[in-house]
Amino acid sequence: VTRGNIADFHTMFNIVCTLLLAPFSKQLVKLANLTIRDKQSETPEEAEVVLDERLLTSPSLALERSKEALLKMAHLAQKNFEFSVNLLDNYDTKIVERIEENENSIDKLQGLVENYLLKITDTDLTDRENRDMSEQLHLINEWERIGDYAINISERAGEKFDKAVKFSDKASKEIGVLCNAIKEV
């Protein structure tokens, strides 16, 4: 047995293992999440998202991980939108505080995911992974923008409350239709 034979065997072993385990990448990510926890996160929302740099050696796993963070951003943005629209009818300072907390988490996640994705660009990506990463970079900004819109709505709701402004029935119905359409999208 020569060194070349050992190197060839090692290469083939790695290729076969990769091919066998590739279909189970999502399950492997979940297993990694269960065994590797990040206790340095600042908020409960961020604690659920671990962007482990060790996964950068496998771009598909790293992209799957960043997708989970994007889903968290989407959830927070959606919640903030719902909270802010509800403020138009029932203003509550505790809800405003919750919106601000969520927006801070969205902003932090935006920075974390952008930095993580930029690190992924240093690896060899397939065309599919490259498209996935581009899509994720686009979505980061979209979710952050929705979070900003929710803040704007909550600020207008505060002005409406402070000035004791009431919407007409027709305006309330139109806002309801608009909000339902946005929720559906």
Side-chain angles (χ1 to χ4, degrees):
V1 177
T2 66
R3 289 183 185 180
N5 290 346
I6 293 172
D8 289 341
F9 176 78
H10 183 70
T11 301
M12 289 305 296
F13 177 80
N14 285 335
I15 290 171
V16 169
C17 285
T18 301
L19 292 174
L20 288 174
L21 294 176
F24 305 104
S25 63
K26 289 183 182 182
Q27 291 86 352
L28 291 171
V29 168
K30 288 179 184 177
L31 178 63
N33 292 340
L34 291 173
T35 57
I36 303 170
R37 294 279 180 202
D38 180 16
K39 296 180 182 177
Q40 299 172 358
S41 295
E42 297 177 21
T43 64
E45 289 82 7
E46 289 175 57
E48 295 178 27
V49 178
V50 179
L51 299 175
D52 192 342
E53 292 193 17
R54 292 176 285 186
L55 294 177
L56 293 174
T57 57
S58 176
S60 61
L61 292 176
L63 286 168
E64 190 67 34
R65 203 62 169 121
S66 61
K67 193 180 293 183
E68 289 179 30
L70 280 174
L71 289 173
K72 186 63 181 173
M73 284 180 72
H75 175 75
L76 291 171
Q78 180 182 13
K79 280 302 206 194
N80 269 7
F81 172 74
E82 292 171 5
F83 287 152
S84 65
V85 168
N86 289 335
L87 287 176
L88 292 170
D89 292 327
N90 303 310
Y91 192 78
D92 184 348
T93 55
K94 290 181 181 179
I95 299 297
V96 172
E97 290 173 11
R98 179 72 187 269
I99 291 171
E100 290 170 355
E101 289 172 9
N102 286 349
E103 176 59 19
N104 288 335
S105 293
I106 290 170
D107 290 342
K108 287 177 184 175
L109 284 168
Q110 178 189 19
L112 289 170
V113 176
E114 281 179 344
N115 289 334
Y116 194 70
L117 288 173
L118 289 175
K119 289 176 184 174
I120 294 174
T121 61
D122 293 338
T123 63
D124 291 326
L125 299 173
T126 64
D127 287 341
R128 180 175 175 234
E129 291 168 343
N130 218 349
R131 282 190 306 273
D132 191 21
M133 187 182 64
S134 296
E135 183 179 296
Q136 287 188 32
L137 284 168
H138 177 74
L139 287 172
I140 290 170
N141 294 322
E142 295 298 327
W143 293 127
E144 203 282 325
R145 190 175 299 134
I146 290 170
D148 289 344
Y149 290 148
I151 291 289
N152 292 342
I153 294 169
S154 70
E155 289 170 352
R156 298 301 80 77
E159 290 174 13
K160 179 183 175 283
F161 177 76
D162 291 341
K163 295 177 182 176
V165 173
K166 297 281 184 193
F167 288 141
S168 67
D169 288 341
K170 184 178 179 184
S172 293
K173 287 179 184 176
E174 288 176 1
I175 289 173
V177 169
L178 178 65
C179 291
N180 286 336
I182 292 171
K183 286 177 188 176
E184 192 175 313
V185 170

